Amino acid sequence: MRGSPLWSAAVQAEIRPSLAERRKEALRFEIAAEAVRLFAAHGVTGEQIARAVGISSRTLWRHFPTKESCVLPLLSAGLDFAVAQLRHWPADTGLLDFVTRSLRAGELPAVAAVILDLIRMTTTDPALRAVWLQAHDEALPVLAQLLAERSGGSADDLRTRVHAATINGALRAASEDFARRYAEEPEAAGSEIATCLLVALRAASEDLPY
């Protein structure tokens, strides 16, 4: 699969990077997509991923430190989209109300099948699991900062960090649940994705003051 996943378009619209940055990002997504395809088919080396994309091994290693880390852009795309949406969260609206309204407005994009394949692989491959957890770990301070700005508090406050971790965990659980339950239905409607997301966020937000 060539190019970036469906999630990335909405994220890229938030901030328009330079042409060089867009080309770099496009290459990273192309590497990621080829890496997933090869991981799914058989054991793979970094050199094989580079050949599939049409670049040198040196170029690949300049972008990614390990072959497993090649898939990080795909695993981060959904989190980037979620954070981008949360930046528009009104101060007078609760988390579930905001997410529900967004879903009803059709603001949840389709999920590329390659991403669902990858999320399923993270449950059985320890190295890919580590990259999946890395994606969420990198999103955690961003979520904490967003919540801090919303509440007027500090992103370093333990309470804020716990709330950010709770929402982060809910997003991960929802993604894994959807990928597992709809393994045979890669074209599952957004309503199914929305159901998994709302169930997870409802459980996460029961005691959150947002």
Side-chain angles (χ1 to χ4, degrees):
M1 176 180 176
R2 300 277 175 175
S4 61
L6 298 178
W7 270 329
S8 65
V11 175
Q12 290 170 358
E14 291 287 317
I15 301 176
R16 191 65 174 173
S18 68
L19 178 60
E21 290 171 331
R22 294 201 303 274
R23 286 175 174 170
K24 178 180 178 180
E25 193 68 4
L27 176 58
R28 284 171 59 82
F29 274 112
E30 185 173 356
I31 292 171
E34 287 296 339
V36 175
R37 182 181 66 81
L38 292 171
F39 274 123
H42 48 72
V44 64
T45 65
E47 288 69 24
Q48 288 173 316
I49 296 172
R51 284 199 300 271
V53 179
I55 60 175
S56 68
S57 298
R58 182 177 179 180
T59 298
L60 182 138
W61 298 132
R62 189 163 63 242
H63 287 273
F64 301 101
T66 66
K67 65 179 183 181
E68 290 83 10
S69 67
C70 289
V71 304
L72 183 59
L74 289 178
L75 291 176
S76 298
L79 285 165
D80 291 342
F81 175 81
V83 170
Q85 292 300 301
L86 287 173
R87 293 191 189 284
H88 302 292
W89 181 7
D92 60 350
T93 304
L95 175 60
L96 282 177
D97 287 340
F98 170 67
V99 173
T100 300
R101 289 179 191 175
S102 298
L103 295 176
R104 287 176 178 169
E107 295 179 14
L108 187 66
V111 183
V114 65
I115 297 178
L116 297 180
D117 289 340
L118 177 56
I119 292 174
R120 284 191 290 272
M121 281 190 281
T122 66
T123 64
T124 57
D125 186 310
L128 290 178
R129 185 69 177 178
V131 178
W132 178 224
L133 296 178
Q134 176 189 347
H136 283 270
D137 188 58
E138 291 177 355
L140 191 56
V142 180
L143 283 169
Q145 183 61 43
L146 189 153
L147 294 181
E149 292 171 359
R150 180 181 175 80
S151 66
S154 168
D156 293 326
D157 182 77
L158 178 58
R159 191 164 179 264
T160 301
R161 289 163 53 201
V162 169
H163 291 159
T166 302
I167 294 174
N168 195 346
L171 293 173
R172 178 169 61 83
S175 299
E176 293 175 356
D177 187 63
F178 179 79
R180 175 182 59 81
R181 290 170 57 192
Y182 294 94
E184 305 303 323
E185 300 178 55
E187 303 302 324
S191 59
E192 282 83 3
I193 304 172
T195 297
C196 293
L197 181 60
L198 284 173
V199 169
L201 287 176
R202 185 173 293 111
S205 65
E206 287 174 347
D207 297 315
L208 295 185
Y210 301 107

